[in-house]
Amino acid sequence: MSTDGPAMALTDLFTGVMASRPDGVAVATAEERLTYAELAARAAVIARALIELGVGRDDLVGLYLDRSADMVSALLGVWFSGGAYVPLDPEYPADRIGYMVEDSGIRVVLASKTRAAEIARPGLTVLAVEDLLSGDLLSGGVAESTLPETDDAPEVLAYVIYTSGSTGRPKGVEVPRGAVQNFLRSMAKTPGIGPDDVLVAVSTLSFDIAALEIFLPLMAGATTFVADTETTTHGASLAAALDQSGATMMQATPSTWRILLESGWDAPEGFKALCGGEALPLDLARALNSIATEVWNMYGPTETTIWSTCYRLPEGGVPVLVGRPIDRTSVYVLDKSMRPVPPGVQGEIYIGGAGLARGYRNQPERTAEAFVPDPFAKEEGGRLYRTGDLGRYLSDGNLECRGRTDSQVKVRGFRIELGEIESALEAHDEIRQGVVCAFGAGTPDARLVAYVVYEPGADLMAGDVRRHLGKRLPLYMVPGLVVELDELPQTPNGKVDRKALPHP
């Protein structure tokens, strides 16, 4: 990807690479390899099918897909139709999927053929990707396999990612194409990627960092190797995939890096490791830095498009900082009056610039609370995203993260609002009160614990509570331990005293 000259639209970036490297390997899996020309042909077929159904600028298309080369074809197909994609993880419970479909207003879903029936519901058109990409369609002629021209202005939506919400329901973050383009363009320079690189993609599409793993190689003429779901969760299998693919790069959470290192994997010469999604522990930073040529620590919330800062760990792996802002991004550390604090002083992190999302879908009040006017903007209408993260700038200009201002936590890279789990707990008729705590958040031993007070006469066990939650929440949000209490401890002002809850 050229990082010089005027910015190009996302679809133009891909078509430019495809034209210059039609026979280069764009996407690979354990069973399949697609050249750039083949990937473009498949994306074109999907895009035209969506356009025939009326999909255009800012229309949302659900993706209910297993990890495969077809998943990448579908992502590009949505963009070339003019639409934006909404990941619908097949591992999520039906209740959560249903809410996301209804809240987003999706009318069309691209699904894996074996899963199409699972997502079917009245008013929803479900297209099986394998059927769209059957041999007859792909051989139908130039018109069908030529990528359509599309409206790819910076303000057009690229995707909507649903994240955990403190009110009890997930919220959809609307990210425009210009934000994604700026992000990919900056990442192509720092940490950097080239046509000879192979990046192994391990993150679920529901985690926004997956966009780097899929699109950064494709915009740079490199190769994306898509690991299947089972491979991404087993260290030995992931190590084998890295070796098989000839990987030169991988991005993952600290939890995934740890299971990989525990398998005995050793990085090949020149390997670049990108780490983010949760705090990078010191011991892991040192271990990674001892085997990889480059280790980069990344930071940024979904609302500011994947990563907003990055930092290459020095020799020895310490200190573990999150570094400096990426291109066209401003990161401030402010006090409660939104005034900058001096270097070394802790404050709340605010982020502005080209990476800001539009806001939360269908939630103007929450958008206004989180995206506030930028008092430092040179142009009218500038905004800052209030991250809720605490941090401080060091004297050398690098940023250090130092925790949260609220009850949001990170467990295995997933952002979790404890209030959402608590709302789901108290939705059970036999649970009077429920409180959830995270122990060891940001470490490989992180776990969620639910403390519950049952209604008189309730006939529940811990397994019943977990099953109740499993019908409403993704598995990563279901507490591994449920502790029954007669009552919750309270502070003098009548609030739950979380510090007085018994340690599990």
Side-chain angles (χ1 to χ4, degrees):
M1 181 195 312
S2 173
T3 54
D4 300 317
M8 295 177 65
L10 284 172
T11 52
D12 289 340
L13 283 171
F14 176 75
T15 53
V17 172
M18 188 270 295
S20 64
R21 293 176 57 82
D23 298 324
V25 178
V27 182
T29 68
E31 299 83 21
E32 189 175 12
R33 292 159 69 90
L34 292 180
T35 66
Y36 274 89
E38 290 168 335
L39 176 61
R42 294 186 179 206
V45 169
I46 293 171
R48 293 183 183 282
L50 294 174
I51 291 169
E52 287 181 8
L53 289 172
V55 173
R57 178 186 173 116
D58 280 357
D59 289 326
L60 302 189
V61 178
L63 297 183
Y64 193 73
L65 297 164
D66 296 307
R67 297 179 62 77
S68 65
D70 287 346
M71 178 185 78
V72 181
S73 304
L75 287 164
L76 285 172
V78 172
W79 276 358
F80 275 97
S81 74
Y85 66 85
V86 183
L88 304 171
D89 195 322
E91 300 301 318
Y92 282 5
D95 180 74
R96 193 179 187 86
I97 293 290
Y99 173 80
M100 291 161 64
V101 169
E102 181 180 354
D103 182 71
S104 63
I106 289 170
R107 296 181 295 107
V108 181
V109 171
L110 295 171
S112 302
K113 189 172 183 177
T114 56
R115 293 186 177 275
E118 298 174 10
I119 192 69
R121 60 197 67 213
L124 202 60
T125 299
V126 180
L127 302 177
V129 172
E130 293 91 336
D131 289 343
L132 292 178
L133 300 179
S134 64
D136 291 342
L137 279 176
L138 279 176
S139 60
V142 175
E144 287 77 11
S145 61
T146 301
L147 287 164
E149 294 185 6
T150 184
D151 184 353
D152 211 1
E155 66 273 14
V156 174
L157 279 181
Y159 57 77
V160 176
I161 296 280
Y162 276 80
T163 67
S164 181
S166 58
T167 61
R169 286 292 193 179
K171 53 187 185 292
V173 182
E174 298 181 319
V175 176
R177 298 192 184 198
V180 180
Q181 187 275 347
N182 180 72
F183 168 76
L184 295 175
R185 196 172 155 94
S186 185
M187 290 293 105
K189 292 191 297 184
T190 308
I193 190 171
D196 294 330
D197 279 311
V198 176
L199 191 154
V200 175
V202 298
S203 301
T204 170
L205 285 184
S206 294
F207 198 171
D208 68 327
I209 71 174
L212 179 148
E213 299 169 16
I214 300 297
F215 298 118
L216 183 59
L218 297 181
M219 304 303 174
T223 300
T224 296
F225 183 94
V226 180
D228 62 36
T229 302
E230 185 175 355
T231 296
T232 65
T233 57
H234 295 88
S237 299
L238 184 53
L242 285 161
D243 293 339
Q244 173 195 349
S245 65
T248 62
M249 300 176 66
M250 190 174 85
Q251 171 190 256
T253 64
S255 301
T256 298
W257 281 117
R258 193 177 291 277
I259 65 169
L260 177 62
L261 295 189
E262 289 174 350
S263 75
W265 175 78
D266 192 10
E269 185 177 352
F271 191 86
K272 191 176 293 185
L274 312 184
C275 193
E278 58 190 349
L280 176 57
L282 283 174
D283 67 318
L284 181 59
R286 290 192 177 102
L288 262 179
N289 223 39
S290 70
I291 62 170
T293 302
E294 296 181 24
V295 179
W296 291 81
N297 194 31
M298 327 290 280
Y299 162 76
T302 300
E303 288 85 347
T304 62
T305 309
I306 309 173
W307 306 131
S308 298
T309 71
C310 61
Y311 174 76
R312 183 177 176 179
L313 297 186
E315 187 174 350
V318 291
V320 180
L321 307 175
V322 296
R324 301 170 185 269
I326 70 169
D327 290 349
R328 300 178 63 208
T329 298
S330 302
V331 179
Y332 301 96
V333 179
L334 307 179
D335 63 17
K336 292 183 179 179
S337 300
M338 290 192 69
R339 296 173 301 193
V341 299
V345 176
Q346 179 173 289
E348 185 173 354
I349 298 172
Y350 288 74
I351 301 175
L356 259 64
R358 285 188 188 174
Y360 301 116
R361 191 164 184 85
N362 303 323
Q363 297 193 39
E365 292 183 1
R366 297 192 69 185
T367 298
E369 291 173 3
F371 295 85
V372 299
D374 180 358
F376 316 107
K378 296 179 181 178
E379 298 178 3
E380 189 174 349
R383 299 178 303 154
L384 294 178
Y385 173 66
R386 184 175 186 174
T387 68
D389 294 324
L390 296 172
R392 63 175 182 172
Y393 270 113
L394 304 186
S395 58
D396 63 0
N398 283 303
L399 182 66
E400 178 185 37
C401 282
R402 299 170 64 86
R404 290 286 302 173
T405 63
D406 56 21
S407 62
Q408 185 188 109
V409 298
K410 287 284 186 78
V411 175
R412 292 180 293 281
F414 290 100
R415 189 168 93 179
I416 297 173
E417 295 279 3
L418 299 180
E420 183 175 358
I421 309 175
E422 292 167 354
S423 294
L425 276 173
E426 295 179 357
H428 195 293
D429 292 340
E430 295 185 75
I431 296 177
R432 179 188 298 173
Q433 288 178 287
V435 170
V436 179
C437 293
F439 291 87
T443 74
D445 300 320
R447 58 177 173 162
L448 297 171
V449 178
Y451 297 88
V452 295
V453 177
Y454 296 138
E455 293 287 359
D459 184 23
L460 288 179
M461 299 183 68
D464 301 321
V465 175
R466 295 185 77 253
R467 281 188 288 274
H468 162 75
L469 293 177
K471 294 177 181 178
R472 292 161 173 78
L473 303 171
L475 183 60
Y476 67 83
M477 292 182 68
V478 177
L481 185 63
V482 177
V483 178
E484 179 183 352
L485 299 175
D486 292 333
E487 59 183 19
L488 298 177
Q490 293 186 340
T491 62
N493 62 4
K495 296 182 178 181
V496 175
D497 187 353
R498 292 174 181 269
K499 295 181 180 179
L501 290 165
H503 194 282

